[in-house]
Amino acid sequence: MVEGSITRSDEIARLMDIRRRAKVLVALGSCSCFGGVNRLKNTYDLNKANREVYGRNPKETLPTRSVKEIVPVDLGIPGCPVSKEEVERIVQHLIWELPIRFPSYPVCLECKQRYTICSFDQGQLCLGPITRGGCNAPCPAGGLGCWGCRGPAADANYDEFFNIVKERGFSDREVDERINFFAGFEGVR
Ligand code: SF4
Ligand code: SF4
């Protein structure tokens, strides 16, 4: 199981060695699966940032990549943090060589099951309709709306989602910032 995104050459070498030795390689967490929050740094000039922060002693820092961008991955378990119950279930299924399934429904389903008042009805943005469920929707329940840490739900209706957020008055910039936060929705717009 490999956690974290890849940003240095020694990590690439280590990861390739892990891949050679591993029967099953699992990307664990949003950074490992998508690049995660660390991927935000790819929008900056890294040389300039390095000079500003470290002056004459720059550190090696490559653009952030997910594990699957370096080596083939057998399984990804996204989440920031990951769900303890989901990891336990998947480890059991790997050991017993049982099929591994993820929820196909979006975060909204679990959000409604716990009777949370919808974030949109409180004037907040939420990625729940397009994000894979399985976390039990803690962020809308905590008043934050979903930030999409588990990546896309199966067959997410992006057109309808983007219509709704527009109708509710959220700007393209707000929506893009939210969608790009964990980097799990690359290419959806
Ligand atoms: S708060 Fe978010 S996850 Fe919950 S029902 Fe509303 S849109 Fe869906
Ligand atoms: S509600 Fe959204 S951001 Fe929060 S844990 Fe679930 S998928 Fe991640």
Side-chain angles (χ1 to χ4, degrees), residues 80-81 107 131-132 135 137-140 145-150 182:
C80 185
V107 170
T131 301
R132 176 200 277 178
C135 58
C139 303
C146 173
W147 286 70
C149 80
R150 291 172 60 81
F182 284 106

Side-chain angles (χ1 to χ4, degrees), residues 104-133:
S104 58
Y105 50 79
V107 170
C108 288
L109 185 136
E110 289 167 334
C111 189
K112 293 291 95 185
Q113 283 174 335
R114 58 187 290 177
Y115 302 106
T116 300
I117 297 171
C118 182
S119 300
F120 282 111
D121 291 338
Q122 301 178 75
Q124 286 185 18
L125 183 55
C126 181
L127 299 188
I130 55 172
T131 301
R132 176 200 277 178

Side-chain angles (χ1 to χ4, degrees), residues 1-4 6 11-12 14-28 32-33 66-77 90 94 100:
M1 286 186 166
V2 176
E3 278 189 298
I6 310 302
E11 294 168 341
I12 295 173
R14 189 171 169 210
L15 183 58
M16 292 175 95
D17 182 48
I18 290 169
R19 176 67 278 186
R20 265 192 299 276
R21 290 184 289 116
K23 184 175 167 192
V24 178
L25 179 59
V26 180
L28 184 67
S32 185
C33 289
S66 63
V67 171
K68 67 175 179 291
E69 290 173 275
I70 310 285
V71 294
V73 166
D74 300 299
L75 188 66
I77 309 177
I90 287 172
L94 283 172
I100 292 164

Side-chain angles (χ1 to χ4, degrees), residues 1 24 26 75 77 83-101:
M1 286 186 166
V24 178
V26 180
L75 188 66
I77 309 177
S83 151
K84 175 175 172 284
E85 292 72 23
E86 187 166 67
V87 173
E88 286 172 350
R89 174 174 54 81
I90 287 172
V91 168
Q92 284 175 342
H93 283 219
L94 283 172
I95 291 168
W96 294 332
E97 298 188 345
L98 293 171
I100 292 164
R101 294 192 183 89

